Amino acid sequence: MAGSTFGTIFKISTWGESHGKALGVVIDGCPAGLALDESDIQPYLNRRKPGQTSVSTPRKESDQVEILSGTFEGRTTGTPISLIIPNTSQKSSDYSEIASYYRPGHADFTYDAKYGFRDYKGGGRSSGRETAGRVAAGAIAAKLLAEMGVTVTAYTKAIGHVSIDMARFDKQLIFSTATCMPDEAADKAAMAYLKECMENKDSCGGIVECVVEGLPSGIGDPVFEKLDANLAKAVMSIGAVKAVEIGDGFQAALAKGSANNDPFQSSDGRIYKTANHAGGILGGISDGSQIILRAFIKPTPSIFSPQKTVNKSGENIEIAIKGRHDPVIVPRAVVVVEAMTALTVLDACLLGMSARLNYLTAFYKAGTKTP
């Protein structure tokens, strides 16, 4: 199976299945000298792990991460970093029935079509649990970016028809509300809507917004390695994401050029924009303003209402899915979007070091290579 490796310089390979012994990630290309231990990674995994709220799957996992390699005396060595996250709450019996049919909205049919074989226990590699490795790696990427003065912050912008009001934005609420909404009133309204969905044995989707601050202009490459293109690919690789927009996104198609263009100004030798319809990227390269992207996430496909499908014999059947499932994926996807954004931006920053001759000569001039 191809497709489990991401990145060019800061490169990650995730491994493991939903109901296997463990999941994890191997990170190659992390610079030496970064202070790192499990306490830097665990808070990110705690934001993603199941069983924490009434709108999360009841599956209980500690998602306790262990660093197996790549550090010495609390610092990265420049060698591959291997992280492992054991699975401790598998209930494979919940899934034994689905081996014979294809769940609507899941990858069951397409995996069978490609491989002629699939891990039906929780979806295997197509499970949302696969994202644990991404989040663990993203935590390290975010720490490296922080050393450079760059921050990445994601939050729930909408659940179903309930959207946050930016006038009430409170960043701390991202970490304390069940919905990860930075707006207390919107959180309450969204929880009421989710309760209604659950009572009707249904689910819903929503939008995650992510903001990158502190990234200088000049990061990213033109043509096939555009920063916005790579961000879109990274975020679209998250299983439940069905669309991505940057800046005004879909609304830009409805605007006039006079309204959509971001005017430039200069002050004290610094060039900046007075608006940010572009979302911080022009021509695939960062322009120094906030990067703003949104991930549009589909409703959880595992619902408890009867659904029509087909079994492996080609017979039309009706099913009622069992097991432990999230009524909404959005809150747990917030940190996954944040992680994939951090990984993409960091990799682009590292690639940017080779963009100019003076970057190389400044670093490799006499004496700079010695410890």
Side-chain angles (χ1 to χ4, degrees):
M1 177 186 288
S4 293
T5 299
F6 179 83
T8 302
I9 295 180
F10 193 90
K11 185 178 294 186
I12 72 167
S13 294
T14 68
W15 56 267
E17 292 79 34
S18 174
H19 283 237
K21 290 184 178 180
L23 305 102
V25 63
V26 177
I27 304 159
D28 202 8
C30 181
L34 177 71
L36 183 70
D37 60 28
E38 286 87 351
S39 67
D40 295 305
I41 304 166
Q42 196 60 52
Y44 282 76
L45 286 168
N46 290 346
R47 292 168 61 192
R48 196 217 69 90
K49 72 181 182 181
Q52 300 188 91
T53 72
S54 61
V55 294
S56 168
T57 169
R59 177 173 177 170
K60 296 288 185 181
E61 290 283 1
S62 63
D63 278 359
Q64 201 70 35
V65 67
E66 182 181 358
I67 299 175
L68 300 181
S69 68
T71 62
F72 180 70
E73 295 183 345
R75 291 190 177 273
T76 57
T77 60
T79 59
I81 300 169
S82 184
L83 308 176
I84 187 171
I85 305 155
N87 285 325
T88 60
S89 181
Q90 308 97 311
K91 286 189 179 180
S92 298
S93 59
D94 288 347
Y95 297 90
S96 57
E97 185 182 313
I98 71 170
S100 64
Y101 62 75
Y102 303 120
R103 294 170 296 171
H106 282 272
D108 301 343
F109 172 74
T110 50
Y111 265 61
D112 256 1
K114 182 172 180 65
Y115 301 106
F117 178 79
R118 64 184 166 95
D119 180 352
Y120 59 82
K121 295 179 294 183
R125 288 290 285 169
S126 68
S127 168
R129 185 144 182 75
E130 174 271 329
T131 61
R134 304 170 184 237
V135 170
I140 298 175
K143 184 164 188 182
L144 276 165
L145 287 171
E147 294 281 328
M148 300 154 53
V150 180
T151 62
V152 182
T153 305
Y155 48 86
T156 299
K157 183 175 180 65
I159 287 180
H161 65 277
V162 181
S163 296
I164 64 171
D165 182 344
M166 294 302 288
R168 295 194 295 259
F169 188 96
D170 181 347
K171 184 176 179 178
Q172 293 307 309
L173 291 175
I174 300 170
F175 311 103
S176 60
T177 57
T179 62
C180 295
M181 284 179 151
D183 174 352
E184 192 171 13
D187 171 67
K188 290 179 180 178
M191 289 296 286
Y193 176 64
L194 285 168
K195 182 180 179 182
E196 180 183 321
C197 289
M198 293 167 69
E199 288 172 350
N200 293 327
K201 297 182 179 180
D202 216 335
S203 63
C204 74
I207 304 170
V208 172
E209 188 164 81
C210 188
V211 179
V212 181
E213 296 184 276
L215 189 69
S217 57
I219 304 300
D221 291 287
V223 193
F224 298 120
E225 295 297 332
K226 291 181 176 179
L227 181 57
D228 44 357
N230 287 337
L231 283 168
K233 178 182 178 179
V235 175
M236 281 291 290
S237 75
I238 301 168
V241 176
K242 300 304 291 183
V244 172
E245 69 175 12
I246 293 174
D248 282 3
F250 303 122
Q251 294 302 311
L254 306 176
K256 294 180 180 179
S258 55
N260 187 65
N261 288 344
D262 298 325
F264 284 103
Q265 292 286 305
S266 177
S267 177
D268 298 324
R270 186 176 73 90
I271 297 172
Y272 62 95
K273 299 189 311 180
T274 58
N276 193 21
H277 299 289
I281 302 172
L282 292 168
I285 302 169
S286 63
D287 63 27
S289 51
Q290 286 184 337
I291 292 177
I292 303 172
L293 69 83
R294 295 172 205 90
F296 293 72
I297 297 174
K298 71 178 184 179
T300 314
S302 291
I303 57 175
F304 301 120
S305 298
Q307 300 181 82
K308 295 185 184 299
T309 191
V310 174
N311 63 23
K312 295 185 72 171
S313 300
E315 300 169 315
N316 295 315
I317 61 173
E318 187 175 88
I319 62 168
I321 292 175
K322 301 174 184 177
R324 301 167 295 174
H325 308 288
D326 301 83
V328 63
I329 299 169
V330 179
R332 292 178 61 211
V334 165
V335 71
V336 186
V337 172
E338 191 170 296
M340 293 307 298
T341 301
L343 289 165
T344 305
V345 169
L346 175 62
D347 201 37
C349 287
L350 293 172
L351 285 163
M353 293 299 293
S354 63
R356 295 188 187 186
L357 176 62
N358 64 300
Y359 293 167
L360 294 173
T361 55
F363 181 80
Y364 283 107
K365 66 182 181 181
T368 59
K369 292 174 63 176
T370 57

